[in-house]
Amino acid sequence: MAFADTARIAVILWAIAALHRRGAYSTAHPCSTSTATGGKSVSDEASTPLPPSLRRWVNTRSAAAHIGIHPEVLRRWARQPSKHTWLPKPIRVGKEFRWDIDALETALADLDDRSQEDDDEAR
């Protein structure tokens, strides 16, 4: 699979995730009714559990604003992966990086937990 195809798939998944967050995307077709169920929608008959939360991919500016740093700092951290091993690796879509906000939050929480443990051990 070429890089362009992978990037295209990532953009499509990102768009579907955005639609899911807004509640505008449903996998059931609106006309999917069954005569065996008395005209009830198939999705009403057997409620299927929702898929696990989809990843939220955002650009560098939004990711940096979300964690409270300047976008250039986040770019610098991404350019130095050996120095910032805790940082999740972004994907590249066109000329921009896309960051998984959930992975970024988890990495920051783990980093904060580790620093608190180190402080407790130093005392």
Side-chain angles (χ1 to χ4, degrees):
M1 184 180 297
F3 176 76
D5 294 336
T6 305
R8 202 171 294 125
I9 290 170
V11 169
I12 291 169
L13 291 175
W14 179 77
I16 290 172
L19 291 172
H20 270 286
R21 283 193 303 277
R22 288 191 309 215
Y25 183 79
S26 173
T27 55
H29 192 275
C31 297
S32 61
T33 58
S34 170
T35 55
T37 60
K40 282 184 172 178
S41 165
V42 175
S43 62
D44 291 342
E45 181 185 63
S47 61
T48 57
L50 295 174
S53 63
L54 298 172
R55 291 180 164 185
R56 297 181 294 161
W57 295 96
V58 296
N59 62 12
T60 301
R61 181 179 291 164
S62 299
H66 186 75
I67 61 175
I69 60 172
H70 195 275
E72 197 54 44
V73 173
L74 191 56
R75 287 185 194 102
R76 187 175 53 229
W77 287 352
R79 285 191 300 263
Q80 300 170 339
S82 61
K83 195 173 187 181
H84 306 284
T85 56
W86 57 270
L87 187 67
K89 188 175 180 182
I91 61 169
R92 194 172 180 122
V93 178
K95 292 184 177 182
E96 287 190 352
F97 284 123
R98 296 286 181 189
W99 298 86
D100 182 357
I101 287 292
D102 298 326
L104 200 56
E105 287 175 348
T106 303
L108 285 172
D110 292 345
L111 185 66
D112 189 41
D113 290 343
R114 276 190 251 147
S115 67
Q116 285 179 358
E117 288 174 5
D118 293 342
D119 288 344
D120 291 341
E121 289 176 6
R123 290 181 187 179

